[in-house]
């Protein structure tokens, strides 16, 4: 429990964590996100500001550094770390915002019906499987990074308009692009 009496409970793995007393991770970083989550606040993250606030919060709450801390405060440092990692990742950030609004974006991810997206994902996976050199993988990575950046822009616009259906659909797409990124990294490291 935090000193202010706010408890954060992990209900799902990292990225799909839902905060019981806070509605989003944004609330844990008030300096970086003074207006909270979208639509009032921003979806995009200034990673430098977030890192500075994270370091400050950790120095104030870490059990090894904090003095005169209640036993109940021991989990605050790890909760801040989970929130920080999730806010850095646009997929986890979008999921958290949607979950706080009652939308589980990835609940039906496995039943993909967008044929164009399905074809793009299958082609990307096939390209990864066929890649023979690091240069081949680097080209695939550049294309995929471009898709991820485009998804972030679309998510930012959808959240600013408070269009949860558009944000949900784009979150599903982003989950596939991040999966492709993971596959590229795995192939590169094998």
């Amino acid at each position: 429990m935090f000193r202010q009496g706010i408890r954060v409970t992990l209900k799902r793995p990292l990225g799909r964590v839902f905060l019981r007393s806070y509605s989003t991770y944004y609330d844990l970083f008030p300096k970086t996100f003074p207006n909270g989550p979208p639509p009032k606040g921003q979806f995009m993250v200034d990673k430098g500001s977030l890192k500075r606030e994270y370091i400050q919060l950790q120095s104030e709450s870490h059990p090894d550094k904090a003095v005169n801390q209640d036993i109940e405060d021991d989990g605050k440092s790890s909760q801040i770390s989970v929130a920080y990692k999730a806010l850095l990742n646009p997929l986890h950030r979008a999921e958290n915002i949607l979950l706080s609004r009652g939308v589980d974006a990835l609940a039906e991810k496995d039943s993909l019906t967008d044929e164009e997206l399905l074809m793009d994902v299958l082609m990307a996976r096939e390209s990864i499987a066929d890649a023979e050199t690091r240069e081949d993988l680097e080209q695939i990575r550049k294309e995929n990074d471009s898709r991820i950046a485009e998804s972030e822009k679309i998510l930012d616009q959808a959240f600013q308009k408070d269009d949860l259906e558009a944000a949900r659909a784009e979150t599903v797409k982003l989950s596939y692009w991040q999966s492709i990124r993971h596959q590229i990294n795995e192939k590169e490291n094998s």
Side-chain angles (χ1 to χ4, degrees):
M1 182 174 282
F2 292 13
R3 285 193 182 140
Q4 297 87 357
I6 298 169
R7 181 181 301 266
V8 177
T9 304
L10 304 180
K11 293 180 100 176
R12 298 178 183 217
L14 175 63
R16 298 191 58 140
V17 174
F18 187 76
L19 303 174
R20 182 172 291 174
S21 295
Y22 279 127
S23 59
T24 68
Y25 292 127
Y26 284 76
D27 299 329
L28 291 169
F29 293 88
K31 290 181 183 174
T32 305
F33 305 107
N35 297 320
K40 291 181 181 179
Q42 59 192 16
F43 173 74
M44 302 303 272
V45 171
D46 177 343
K47 291 179 181 180
S49 294
L50 182 62
K51 184 175 183 175
R52 284 187 294 278
E53 187 169 8
Y54 168 71
I55 291 168
Q56 177 192 352
L57 289 170
Q58 284 293 31
S59 70
E60 294 170 359
S61 67
H62 196 278
D64 293 339
K65 295 190 179 200
V67 182
N68 297 325
Q69 206 171 349
D70 294 336
I71 294 174
E72 295 181 36
D73 287 343
D74 287 341
K76 184 176 180 184
S77 177
S78 63
Q79 294 161 357
I80 292 168
S81 291
V82 168
Y84 172 72
K85 289 175 185 173
L87 286 169
L88 284 176
N89 184 313
L91 176 60
H92 297 166
R93 196 165 58 241
E95 283 182 277
N96 180 253
I97 294 166
L98 289 169
L99 281 171
S100 74
R101 305 282 303 277
V103 178
D104 189 351
L106 302 183
E108 299 175 23
K109 177 184 170 196
D110 294 333
S111 60
L112 185 61
T113 57
D114 182 338
E115 290 183 24
E116 184 178 338
L117 175 60
L118 182 59
M119 289 305 299
D120 287 344
V121 169
L122 292 174
M123 288 175 54
R125 289 180 176 165
E126 186 176 324
S127 296
I128 294 167
D130 293 343
E132 295 179 1
T133 65
R134 286 196 182 272
E135 291 78 26
D136 294 341
L137 285 174
E138 192 54 38
Q139 181 58 37
I140 299 166
R141 181 188 318 280
K142 285 180 184 176
E143 291 170 14
N144 195 61
D145 286 350
S146 162
R147 290 183 189 116
I148 289 172
E150 181 63 22
S151 279
E152 286 185 74
K153 287 179 189 174
I154 293 169
L155 279 166
D156 185 44
Q157 294 167 355
F159 282 123
Q160 291 306 313
K161 294 176 185 174
D162 204 25
D163 185 345
L164 298 182
E165 180 51 35
R168 186 206 58 76
E170 197 59 40
T171 299
V172 170
K173 287 182 183 180
L174 181 56
S175 73
Y176 281 101
W177 304 142
Q178 286 203 352
S179 174
I180 296 296
R181 176 187 276 169
H182 180 71
Q183 291 173 339
I184 293 168
N185 292 339
E186 281 184 343
K187 174 114 184 198
E188 192 173 59
N189 294 326
S190 64

